[in-house]
Amino acid sequence: ELLPAVTTGTASYHLRVRLAPPPKDSPPIEPLEMWGDFGGRMGEVPLSGNFRMVGLALTSTVQLPRVEPGPLKGVLPWFPLETRVTASLSANGTLPRLGLRGTAELTQGTGISTAIVSGAMDVTRGMRMDLDINAASLDPQSLFKEAPEGRVDGRARIRIGIEGERPEPSVSI
């Protein structure tokens, strides 16, 4: 399976192939360009996204509007989350290595916690992500029910490698 859950929605895809060579005095032009977008659901998780790829240069964004923890666990069962989240993630660069940048807002009690994610992804063999996360006003109970209530500002580094069926995350805080 390519995706962790049944995915339904509306997508558009465009492909441009330039067969004629560029004029001699012009800069080189990539002969292949693709772009598209998607709006729908992965499992019960609403999502939207878009991408543009010129040669091997990719720009893409995925957005998750107001996702409850139950549906997210149906797609990412290994990801700890006990509260609603709104998130976006952009991946940009030249394949097989991409830079990642994202934000997440977690609803907790009467407030919101914000996390900013940056890092890199390499898809040379399987997938490997190295992420730095900076969180502000995070209630630990948003991630682990058993944790004490409070507000924490912190940073974490997460490494996730997927080469087979299961992700192997490691965390340093």
Side-chain angles (χ1 to χ4, degrees), residues 18 31 37 42 52 57-58 62 65 70 79 89 121 123 127 147 163:
R18 294 179 181 87
D37 56 44
M42 181 180 294
R52 179 173 218 87
L58 175 69
V62 174
F79 188 78
L89 179 67
M121 179 170 68
V123 293
M127 181 186 70
E163 291 188 19

Side-chain angles (χ1 to χ4, degrees), residues 130-167:
D130 291 303
L131 303 173
D132 291 316
I133 302 171
N134 292 304
S137 298
L138 176 66
D139 181 350
Q141 289 182 341
S142 296
L143 299 175
F144 305 102
K145 252 186 221 183
E146 303 81 27
E149 183 180 356
R151 294 291 184 265
V152 177
D153 294 343
R155 297 177 359 162
R157 174 162 285 170
I158 298 176
R159 173 171 282 169
I160 301 172
I162 302 174
E163 291 188 19
E165 295 286 320
R166 299 180 52 119

Side-chain angles (χ1 to χ4, degrees), residues 12-168:
S12 71
Y13 172 78
H14 306 271
L15 171 65
R16 178 180 293 149
V17 179
R18 294 179 181 87
L19 299 176
K24 288 184 181 183
D25 295 338
S26 70
I29 298 173
E30 286 289 343
L32 184 64
E33 184 175 1
M34 298 181 273
W35 65 97
D37 56 44
F38 175 80
R41 294 183 170 280
M42 181 180 294
E44 294 299 316
V45 175
L47 64 97
S48 64
N50 60 64
F51 81 97
R52 179 173 218 87
M53 190 168 171
V54 179
L56 293 176
L58 175 69
T59 58
S60 62
T61 302
V62 174
Q63 297 174 332
L64 304 174
R66 297 176 54 104
V67 178
E68 298 294 335
L72 189 62
K73 286 187 188 303
V75 175
L76 300 173
W78 50 269
F79 188 78
L81 184 69
E82 299 295 333
T83 188
R84 180 184 319 140
V85 65
T86 299
S88 67
L89 179 67
S90 297
N92 302 301
T94 302
L95 291 170
R97 293 176 182 89
L98 300 171
L100 302 174
R101 186 146 184 81
T103 60
E105 293 181 344
L106 286 78
T107 303
Q108 46 193 30
T110 60
I112 292 178
S113 171
T114 302
I116 298 173
V117 177
S118 61
M121 179 170 68
D122 187 327
V123 293
T124 304
R125 287 183 300 268
M127 181 186 70
R128 177 173 216 81
M129 287 191 291
D130 291 303
L131 303 173
D132 291 316
I133 302 171
N134 292 304
S137 298
L138 176 66
D139 181 350
Q141 289 182 341
S142 296
L143 299 175
F144 305 102
K145 252 186 221 183
E146 303 81 27
E149 183 180 356
R151 294 291 184 265
V152 177
D153 294 343
R155 297 177 359 162
R157 174 162 285 170
I158 298 176
R159 173 171 282 169
I160 301 172
I162 302 174
E163 291 188 19
E165 295 286 320
R166 299 180 52 119
E168 295 180 20

